[in-house]
């Protein structure tokens, strides 16, 4: 009889433990697992007042895919659109996105500072498919700075855009910029990724004396496709670096634009896939017309990873 009583006590203890575990699992599912979906649809904009000729835009975005476009708009200097869904558990914030938007004018310039941050949660377990779109008036000379935490960042310019500077950075995710024909770069252009790739497409951009290009990633590759068959306008320092990851450069130049390309690697080689109109060693190449009226002074450096080159020059 004593043995039977002990067995019943043991079974009761096991049953109690199982019940507690089931309750914990159910609570975890209700409070932590992101089953609740909250729609996001927010917008902000700054009016383009008479006499405004330039824009300084500083944007920090917590999580989400970021797209920057330049548009023909005579009434709005810059607009921000945030859309998508934010999924959290019961402990998640009912205000999924917090937007801070501040604007002021200084002389003929409008300055906009914006932050997009996901709502607070007691337990940081969530998922989201937030998209952030910035629409910038192409009429304004623009100093653009965008920092993204987690998610991709893409900037696409348009004909006639003037950039006094551009600074793009991503913590986790890739960053891509498309510089189209007849864009003017008057100052430094920087693209950085901590974990993710950096991708630049450059077509017949006009560079002023203070212009420069810096591409860098800690973990990830760098890819640049440069086409300059029309006048560059000035000498341009062009640097790319990858701590862990490779660098790919495709450069097609013509006329009075020349280039000097140097490459260094710690662990990895330099591979010249194509070389037309360039002379020198794989690690130190110059176009046949170097130095010319305007030059790409190009420096490529990798830690762990190789450098791949496709270089073409036509008179």
């Amino acid at each position: 009889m004593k043995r039977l009583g002990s067995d019943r006590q043991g079974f009761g203890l096991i049953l109690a433990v199982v019940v507690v575990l089931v309750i914990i699992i159910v609570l975890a599912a209700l409070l932590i697992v992101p089953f609740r979906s909250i729609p996001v649809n927010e917008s902000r904009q700054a009016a383009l007042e008479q006499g405004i000729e330039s824009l300084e835009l500083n944007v920090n975005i917590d999580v989400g895919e970021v797209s920057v476009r330049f548009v023909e708009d005579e009434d709005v200097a810059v607009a921000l659109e945030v859309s998508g869904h934010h999924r959290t558990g019961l402990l998640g914030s009912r205000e999924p996105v917090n937007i801070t938007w501040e604007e002021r004018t200084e002389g003929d310039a409008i300055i906009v500072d914006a932050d997009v941050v996901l709502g607070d949660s007691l337990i940081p377990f969530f998922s989201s498919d937030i998209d952030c779109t910035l629409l910038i008036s192409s009429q304004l000379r623009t100093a653009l700075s965008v920092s993204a935490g987690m998610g991709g960042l893409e900037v696409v310019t348009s004909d006639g855009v003037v950039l006094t500077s551009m600074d793009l950075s991503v913590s986790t995710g890739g960053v891509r910029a498309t510089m189209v024909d007849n864009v003017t770069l008057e100052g430094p252009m920087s693209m950085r990724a901590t974990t993710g790739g950096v991708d630049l497409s450059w077509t017949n951009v006009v560079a002023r004396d203070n212009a420069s290009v810096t591409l860098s990633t800690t973990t990830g590759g760098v890819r640049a496709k440069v086409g300059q068959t029309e006048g560059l306008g000035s000498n341009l320092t062009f640097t790319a670096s990858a701590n862990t990851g490779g660098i790919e450069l495709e450069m097609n130049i013509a006329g009075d634009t020349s280039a000097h390309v140097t490459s260094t690697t710690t662990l990895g080689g330099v591979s010249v896939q194509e070389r037309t109109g360039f002379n020198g060693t794989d690690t130190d190449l110059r176009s046949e017309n170097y130095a010319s009226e305007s030059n790409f002074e190009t420096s490529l450096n990798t830690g762990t990873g190789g450098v791949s080159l496709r270089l073409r020059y036509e008179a």
Side-chain angles (χ1 to χ4, degrees):
M1 297 296 293
K2 290 183 178 180
R3 181 180 182 85
L4 181 58
S6 298
D7 290 343
R8 287 178 176 176
Q9 289 178 356
F11 177 76
L13 179 61
I14 293 173
L15 181 60
V17 171
V18 170
V19 170
V20 171
L21 289 176
V22 170
I23 292 174
I24 291 174
I25 292 171
V26 172
L27 288 176
L30 291 175
L31 300 179
I32 300 176
V33 175
F35 69 92
R36 184 177 67 182
S37 179
I38 304 174
V40 178
N41 190 9
E42 298 278 347
S43 64
R44 304 287 189 277
Q45 68 179 32
L48 179 50
E49 304 290 349
Q50 186 174 2
I52 296 298
E53 297 182 359
S54 63
L55 167 69
E56 179 182 328
L57 179 61
N58 306 296
V59 181
N60 296 301
I61 296 175
D62 189 13
V63 175
E65 297 293 321
V66 184
S67 175
V68 182
R69 299 287 187 271
F70 289 81
V71 296
E72 288 288 341
D73 198 322
E74 299 179 353
D75 301 315
V76 177
V78 57
L80 169 66
E81 299 174 356
V82 182
S83 61
H85 289 82
H86 181 57
R87 289 175 289 274
T88 66
L90 293 179
L91 294 178
S93 172
R94 291 188 176 275
E95 295 182 0
V97 174
N98 297 317
I99 300 176
T100 302
W101 181 274
E102 298 178 353
E103 58 184 84
R104 65 186 187 277
T105 57
E106 294 183 1
D108 62 358
I110 181 171
I111 301 171
V112 177
D113 299 312
D115 293 280
V116 180
V117 181
L118 291 180
D120 295 331
S121 176
L122 295 178
I123 298 178
F125 195 102
F126 59 85
S127 66
S128 63
D129 57 358
I130 304 298
D131 294 323
C132 300
T133 302
L134 285 162
L135 302 176
I136 302 171
S137 174
S138 59
Q139 297 186 4
L140 300 175
R141 298 172 66 250
T142 300
L144 176 64
S145 175
V146 181
S147 175
M150 182 180 297
L153 168 58
E154 182 180 25
V155 175
V156 178
T157 59
S158 62
D159 179 80
V161 165
V162 177
L163 291 167
T164 55
S165 65
M166 185 164 72
D167 185 89
L168 310 175
S169 65
V170 173
S171 295
T172 303
V175 55
R176 174 180 174 82
T178 301
M179 304 283 281
V180 302
D181 195 295
N182 199 34
V183 167
T184 299
L185 181 63
E186 296 185 339
M189 172 181 173
S190 174
M191 298 171 62
R192 304 183 306 279
T194 302
T195 302
V198 174
D199 194 337
L200 171 64
S201 175
W202 171 293
T203 304
N204 290 328
V205 176
V206 178
R208 300 305 184 197
D209 290 341
N210 294 322
S212 62
V213 176
T214 303
L215 314 176
S216 64
T217 180
T218 302
T219 303
V222 175
R223 183 174 64 176
K225 184 176 182 180
V226 177
Q228 194 72 42
T229 57
E230 299 178 5
L232 179 60
S234 179
N235 293 332
L236 181 74
T237 300
F238 190 106
T239 62
S241 62
N243 189 11
T244 302
I247 296 176
E248 297 179 17
L249 172 64
E250 180 179 345
M251 179 176 285
N252 180 18
I253 58 176
D256 292 331
T257 299
S258 67
H260 180 201
V261 181
T262 61
S263 304
T264 59
T265 65
T266 302
L267 294 175
V270 177
S271 175
V272 181
Q273 303 293 323
E274 180 181 356
R275 179 173 67 181
T276 302
F278 276 78
N279 300 316
T281 65
D282 288 355
T283 58
D284 192 327
L285 289 162
R286 294 173 170 85
S287 60
E288 294 175 348
N289 64 332
Y290 182 84
S292 188
E293 293 182 3
S294 54
N295 312 292
F296 282 99
E297 298 293 345
T298 308
S299 176
L300 313 175
N301 177 265
T302 67
T304 303
V307 175
S308 176
L309 300 175
R310 294 183 180 274
L311 306 177
R312 295 182 295 273
Y313 165 72
E314 294 182 4

